[in-house]
Amino acid sequence: MEFEVTILGSNSAIPAHGRNQTSQLVSVGNSFLLIDCGEGTQIQLRKFKLKFGRIDFILISHLHGDHFYGLMGLISSFHLVKRERLLTIFGPSGLDEIITTQLKYTNTKLSFPLRFVPTQAEGKNLILEEPMFRVFTFPLQHRIPCTGFLIEEKPGLRNMVKEKLVKTKMPVEAIVSLREGKDVVDPDGKVLYRVEEYTYPPKQSKKYGYCSDTVFDPTLVNFINGVDLLYHEATFGDDETERAGTTFHSTSRQAGIIAMKANVGKLLLGHYSSRYKDLTPILDQAKEVFENTYLSEEGVTYSI
């Protein structure tokens, strides 16, 4: 199953140096999720020839404009092309009022059903469960309520140990149960077939962690530990460490520290300040701490 992230916007507050505001398209198998929706997101979707009509879920991390000002334009475009499928938006309380108000005063009755699910900026919460994946929120420390997102594959079916299967006359129902990771028991609760004996361990599930706007916060490790790919904001370089703290943002070096402590597979930096035209120092400072670090680049797709 393909599990990929395409960067649509990598800059912070304003578009600059050919970089747009925050947005990413995540594909998990046949499902498409949009994470954040900065201004110009729908233009980026068209520019990179992505099938934005297949987006069924939109995740908004917080209510700073560079993370959601593109949302109403995208919703409007869905309406104009006569979308009929349900669109589900996850985001902070208040976003539903913003959407409803704009629809009201533009006298727009959408061609498709729109569902809003409020997120909580406390603890780890399961917000979406699909057959192939789950999505969790976790708290980020920013100036207003803000959540990160953890997208993880569900474990696949286990493969049977063929030698055991050949020697055992096992009903189909038992095989299905074992492949799903469940022991087979009789009506009295006696175990007839154990998962560990008749199947191989399942393939390791892949995970993607998304940390948009946050001050340097080592407690994030508890939520993103061991993810295959981590996106972490890197608004500033070492030259603005103090400013990063006062504005509740992070430096690229601090992002590297989080990646190292969380033992992640790969780190993607983003949310760059417009003061940096050349991002080489941003990358180098993070790599000094965590070597497997990359700059997120718009239009580039990263496999997980």
Side-chain angles (χ1 to χ4, degrees):
M1 181 178 70
E2 289 188 347
F3 190 178
E4 299 176 329
V5 178
T6 301
I7 305 300
L8 303 174
S10 62
N11 228 41
S12 58
I14 61 175
H17 315 304
R19 304 191 298 260
N20 290 268
Q21 296 164 315
T22 302
S23 188
Q24 302 181 2
L25 183 68
V26 179
S27 61
V28 189
N30 293 321
S31 296
F32 287 77
L33 306 90
L34 187 71
I35 303 183
D36 280 337
C37 190
E39 183 181 352
T41 291
Q42 66 170 321
I43 295 174
Q44 294 292 86
L45 287 164
R46 290 182 180 278
K47 175 181 177 181
F48 300 129
K49 296 180 172 55
L50 299 168
K51 299 177 180 179
F52 73 94
R54 295 172 63 183
I55 296 171
D56 286 326
F57 308 105
I58 299 178
L59 314 175
I60 302 297
S61 62
H62 65 296
L63 294 183
H64 279 156
D66 54 329
H67 293 261
F68 83 97
Y69 277 170
L71 183 57
M72 283 310 303
L74 183 60
I75 290 174
S76 177
S77 290
F78 283 149
H79 171 69
L80 291 172
V81 299
K82 304 199 183 308
R83 177 191 176 107
E84 296 181 351
R85 279 196 337 279
L86 170 69
L87 176 66
T88 303
I89 299 176
F90 301 85
S93 295
L95 180 58
D96 54 337
E97 182 180 352
I98 292 170
I99 295 171
T100 302
T101 298
Q102 295 193 61
L103 293 175
K104 175 183 176 180
Y105 286 102
T106 58
N107 193 27
T108 302
K109 183 174 175 56
L110 295 176
S111 64
F112 59 93
L114 180 63
R115 180 170 70 110
F116 178 75
V117 180
T119 53
Q120 303 296 323
E122 297 179 358
K124 182 179 179 180
N125 300 283
L126 175 65
I127 61 169
L128 177 62
E129 183 158 16
E130 291 289 289
M132 305 300 289
F133 65 93
R134 301 183 185 91
V135 181
F136 296 87
T137 59
F138 55 89
L140 300 176
Q141 303 304 316
H142 196 42
R143 299 194 302 278
I144 62 174
C146 185
T147 61
F149 298 106
L150 175 66
I151 304 174
E152 63 177 34
E153 290 180 326
K154 286 186 175 179
L157 295 176
R158 289 172 171 252
N159 290 322
M160 300 293 296
V161 178
K162 292 182 180 179
E163 295 78 6
K164 291 275 188 180
L165 195 58
V166 170
K167 295 178 181 179
T168 307
K169 292 184 178 180
M170 188 182 299
V172 173
E173 295 80 3
I175 294 174
V176 171
S177 182
L178 289 169
R179 294 202 69 200
E180 291 177 346
K182 305 171 186 174
D183 291 334
V184 178
V185 299
D186 66 15
D188 297 323
K190 180 182 177 182
V191 178
L192 301 177
Y193 308 108
R194 294 188 182 279
V195 170
E196 292 78 8
E197 184 179 355
Y198 287 88
T199 67
Y200 295 105
K203 179 184 175 183
Q204 186 74 24
S205 297
K206 295 178 180 178
K207 299 179 182 181
Y208 176 54
Y210 175 87
C211 299
S212 60
D213 292 19
T214 182
V215 73
F216 176 61
D217 180 12
T219 66
L220 286 178
V221 171
N222 299 324
F223 303 108
I224 57 173
N225 190 54
V227 300
D228 298 271
L229 178 64
L230 172 65
Y231 169 87
H232 193 292
E233 74 127 284
T235 307
F236 298 108
D238 288 347
D239 58 317
E240 294 286 355
T241 300
E242 184 176 349
R243 180 174 174 79
T246 58
T247 58
F248 283 78
H249 285 294
S250 298
T251 68
S252 60
R253 185 181 300 276
Q254 290 169 339
I257 292 171
I258 295 296
M260 177 189 64
K261 288 181 177 293
N263 194 33
V264 309
K266 181 189 295 186
L267 171 64
L268 271 184
L269 304 176
H271 201 262
Y272 317 118
S273 168
S274 59
R275 71 187 61 216
Y276 302 107
K277 183 175 182 180
D278 178 14
L279 297 173
T280 304
I282 296 288
L283 177 61
D284 290 344
Q285 289 160 18
K287 288 174 73 72
E288 288 176 9
V289 182
F290 187 77
E291 177 61 29
N292 203 21
T293 299
Y294 301 85
L295 294 171
S296 61
E297 299 181 47
E298 294 173 21
V300 176
T301 297
Y302 302 87
S303 294
I304 300 173

